[in-house]
Amino acid sequence: MGGAFVAAAILARLGGRIGLPTIPLFILAGILLGPNTPGFVLLEDPHDLEMLSALGLVLLLFYLGLEFHMDDLKTGGRKMVVAGSAYLALNVGAGLAFGFALGWGTSEALVLAGVLGISSSAIVTKVLVDLKRIGNPETKPILGIIVVEDIFLALYLAALQPVISGADDVGAMLADIGKAFGFLLLLAVAARWGTGIVGRLFDTKDNELLVISFLGAAVLVAGIAEKFGVADAIAAFMVGLILGNTGSRGRILHLVHPLRDAFAAIFFFGFGLSIDPGDLPSVIWPVLAAVVVTLTMNLLAGLFTARIYGFGPGPTANVATTLLARGEFALILATMAAAAGLDPRLSPFIAGYVLILAVVAPLVAGRSHWLARVLPGGKAAAEQQQEEAAEPEPAAR
């Protein structure tokens, strides 16, 4: 664990000198020191960091929930559902069509629909934090899309498992979906009407007790959620949403920062450990085609979201680029596909696709102004900004 922290810190400091974001550098540290590349191996088994990586994901989404207000859901919930549904329809639909076009099989196409369709909550959150865009107007729709994706994810996983394993028990599948939906509904009720009670439970002036309390709540609820077939990430988000509407919100935000940053680094480092670059050449052309499909669908989704919210070219470009990354969920699907005995090309394909987008997405998001200039009205907006910046300050009276 110490070696992982130090390696991630050294690479991130070096990359920071040339303006690179930290996410791909943390992943690169895991690849270079993992069992799949020559040279020094820090960890032979990526599963050794599994619990710490899970904690990193939980804390990232917990923080995201703290930043998300119930008022945002009350006032803009319908728009968020429409934007999230459109994003899923475009990306999951394109992923399914792409899967069938590859000709690897029906079960494989259903897996690829999820791989190409669902963003990485962890990377999206980290990008928003690193680029200091949490307070931007387009961030609320981005978070709304992430929430819709995670709810879809719970239902999708419950339905996919029996399909790819060849099970015929439709009743069991419906029961799993019902359990997942019921647990999500329980968390939603707590977020809507239970904040008063929760606020009193977490009302303490002792920072030590507060840290133990919110960390315990986030991890415990995330663990219980997994038993109900709900992604731990969305459960942690809901806990953050509940606590974000209590009087302790400001202190929790301050106290969770160092925990979030430390364990997020371990999450991305562990992510790199699981990737084998040697598998990429055998599936490089399908991977590159999938990347192009994802770039195209995210641009269309960004334009659609911008139309709903009335955004200009800048926020539109931010929406389109921030949601690009694919990550932890795609790797879960790769594991499921391997366990079900599906096409052996799936695992290297998913690894290569995730690796490229995990590296490209933060870089593209940080340079979204380039895309904004070529969008309708983007050039004029950029010229206006330059003119306003060039105007002299008014003379003091």
Side-chain angles (χ1 to χ4, degrees):
M1 179 178 172
F5 275 128
V6 171
I10 290 172
L11 271 181
R13 286 175 70 91
L14 292 174
R17 294 180 182 275
I18 55 175
L20 290 177
T22 58
I23 294 171
L25 294 167
F26 292 155
I27 295 172
L28 178 62
I31 293 173
L32 293 177
L33 297 175
N36 300 312
T37 51
F40 177 72
V41 176
L42 182 67
L43 279 170
E44 290 286 353
D45 187 359
H47 294 292
D48 288 344
L49 286 180
E50 191 169 16
M51 181 60 71
L52 295 173
S53 296
L55 184 57
L57 180 60
V58 164
L59 287 171
L60 276 169
L61 271 293
F62 173 73
Y63 174 81
L64 202 62
L66 287 170
E67 291 283 2
F68 204 82
H69 297 283
M70 282 300 297
D71 291 341
D72 297 322
L73 287 175
K74 294 174 187 174
T75 57
R78 183 174 298 178
K79 287 183 178 180
M80 289 179 185
V81 170
V82 172
S85 300
Y87 186 90
L88 284 171
L90 286 168
N91 285 274
V92 174
L96 186 63
F98 181 82
F100 280 121
L102 283 180
W104 291 355
T106 300
S107 295
E108 287 78 2
L110 292 171
V111 170
L112 289 173
V115 171
L116 272 67
I118 308 294
S119 305
S120 167
S121 301
I123 296 179
V124 169
T125 306
K126 192 69 168 59
V127 166
L128 290 172
V129 171
D130 287 352
L131 297 178
K132 297 179 174 59
R133 291 180 181 170
I134 289 291
N136 286 14
E138 72 274 7
T139 296
K140 298 305 180 186
I142 290 172
L143 301 188
I145 290 172
I146 289 292
V147 172
V148 173
E149 280 187 321
D150 283 341
I151 293 172
F152 169 80
L153 168 58
L155 306 179
Y156 171 80
L157 281 178
L160 182 67
Q161 182 62 58
V163 172
I164 65 174
S165 62
D168 298 323
D169 192 348
V170 178
M173 179 182 73
L174 293 176
D176 288 342
I177 292 175
K179 283 195 302 181
F181 186 77
F183 189 77
L184 284 172
L185 187 61
L186 180 64
L187 290 177
V189 169
R192 178 65 179 86
W193 290 287
T195 52
I197 298 173
V198 173
R200 288 192 290 273
L201 291 174
F202 283 79
D203 186 15
T204 175
K205 295 181 179 180
D206 190 317
N207 283 346
E208 180 183 12
L209 291 178
L210 185 58
V211 169
I212 294 170
S213 299
F214 74 69
L215 187 60
V219 176
L220 178 63
V221 174
I224 294 172
E226 284 196 329
K227 297 295 183 183
F228 283 86
V230 177
D232 52 5
I234 184 62
F237 175 90
M238 295 299 290
V239 174
L241 183 66
I242 295 168
L243 293 180
N245 288 277
T246 67
S248 302
R249 174 182 179 269
R251 288 171 60 211
I252 294 174
L253 272 171
H254 174 72
L255 293 168
V256 80
H257 268 211
L259 293 169
R260 178 204 71 191
D261 292 341
F263 287 99
I266 293 294
F267 172 82
F268 293 114
F269 182 88
F271 188 46
L273 289 174
S274 64
I275 293 175
D276 185 354
D279 290 336
L280 185 56
S282 63
V283 289
I284 187 62
W285 294 115
V287 165
L288 293 177
V291 169
V292 171
V293 169
T294 303
L295 288 168
T296 304
M297 291 301 106
N298 272 264
L299 178 57
L300 292 176
L303 291 170
F304 183 83
T305 302
R307 181 174 290 274
I308 294 174
Y309 284 88
F311 288 151
T316 301
N318 288 345
V319 173
T321 54
T322 304
L323 290 163
L324 263 179
R326 302 297 187 261
E328 62 280 357
F329 173 56
L331 297 181
I332 291 171
L333 285 177
T335 304
M336 289 174 60
L342 300 187
D343 195 302
R345 290 172 291 184
L346 266 180
S347 290
F349 170 88
I350 293 172
Y353 171 75
V354 167
L355 176 60
I356 289 176
L357 283 181
V359 172
V360 168
L363 295 171
V364 172
R367 293 156 180 79
S368 59
H369 56 280
W370 294 351
L371 173 61
R373 289 185 65 88
V374 301
L375 292 176
K379 190 174 181 180
E383 290 173 352
Q384 183 178 352
Q385 286 180 349
Q386 290 176 351
E387 289 174 2
E388 290 174 354
E391 286 181 1
E393 293 286 337
R397 289 179 126 179

